[in-house]
Amino acid sequence: MKKANSIVTIAIMVLFVIHAVFGSLNLFGVSSTSLKPLAWVNIGLVVVHMTLSGILTSKALMAMKKAGRGYFKENRLFWARRISGFAIMIFIVFHITAFSSGGAPTDGAVVLKWFTTGRFICQILLVLSIAVHVISNVKPVLISLGIKAFKERKADILFFVSIILVLCAVALLVYYLRWNM
């Protein structure tokens, strides 16, 4: 089940990168490419990932209960992974509602009806939640896929994901500033 979850995770990341790059280009006003079907496929994969992760988490909790101790302090990374994943689920809802609010194409760029400070903050929190979740999960995903030289790969992956996340944050900021002017 862990390997299946890792494969789903890789698919989510590939679709996320495509969504993030094209979405950022849309927010910059450079492109008006709609990848809504791709985004919905990614949401479906996220639901599968969430289900598999929930099953694996419940098994881990049962093992902790059976052992008679939770060792919360020693398992902080485990809980950080679960909490950041839960935060992503909350902020994805805000993301969907913000960008499905009925924008109209204007000069090749989508202009949302309402992109308020609250919506901007929620989008930035989504980016930060994804960053924490990816950073805390790169090593276990690589290990579950059997990649032994994960130290070198981990740095490359984190560098690439960092660039994508900064692109997203800058695009959101630029769009927010343009929307409010």
Side-chain angles (χ1 to χ4, degrees):
M1 187 176 302
K2 284 183 181 181
K3 185 143 188 145
N5 201 19
S6 295
I7 292 168
V8 169
T9 300
I10 298 300
I12 289 169
M13 287 305 299
V14 168
L15 292 178
F16 167 74
V17 167
I18 294 168
H19 178 75
V21 169
F22 281 98
S24 295
L25 292 175
N26 286 341
L27 293 178
F28 283 128
V30 176
S31 170
S32 61
T33 306
S34 174
L35 296 175
K36 222 175 232 188
L38 187 70
W40 285 110
V41 168
N42 208 15
I43 290 293
L45 289 172
V46 167
V47 169
V48 171
H49 175 64
M50 186 176 67
T51 303
L52 292 173
S53 296
I55 292 167
L56 291 168
T57 299
S58 66
K59 286 182 179 182
L61 290 174
M62 286 189 288
M64 283 182 202
K65 186 177 180 180
K66 189 175 180 180
R69 262 197 78 133
Y71 297 103
F72 181 78
K73 187 176 179 181
E74 291 81 4
N75 290 314
R76 285 180 298 203
L77 186 56
F78 171 86
W79 289 110
R81 291 172 179 148
R82 276 37 181 200
I83 292 167
S84 63
F86 187 72
I88 290 170
M89 299 316 315
I90 292 169
F91 294 123
I92 280 178
V93 172
F94 288 113
H95 183 71
I96 291 169
T97 59
F99 288 98
S100 298
S101 65
T106 306
D107 296 329
V110 173
V111 178
L112 302 176
K113 290 181 182 176
W114 304 104
F115 196 68
T116 61
T117 302
R119 284 189 170 179
F120 171 69
I121 290 169
C122 285
Q123 302 316 304
I124 294 298
L125 290 173
L126 173 62
V127 171
L128 292 173
S129 299
I130 291 170
V132 169
H133 198 65
V134 169
I135 288 167
S136 65
N137 281 295
V138 167
K139 183 177 176 180
V141 168
L142 292 175
I143 290 170
S144 71
L145 292 173
I147 298 172
K148 293 184 175 28
F150 59 83
K151 285 184 182 178
E152 298 84 21
R153 302 271 193 265
K154 181 179 174 183
D156 293 340
I157 291 168
L158 290 177
F159 178 74
F160 179 73
V161 170
S162 296
I163 290 171
I164 297 298
L165 292 172
V166 166
L167 173 71
C168 292
V170 169
L172 287 164
L173 178 62
V174 166
Y175 184 79
Y176 173 74
L177 294 173
R178 280 190 10 223
W179 192 88
N180 285 293
M181 291 183 178

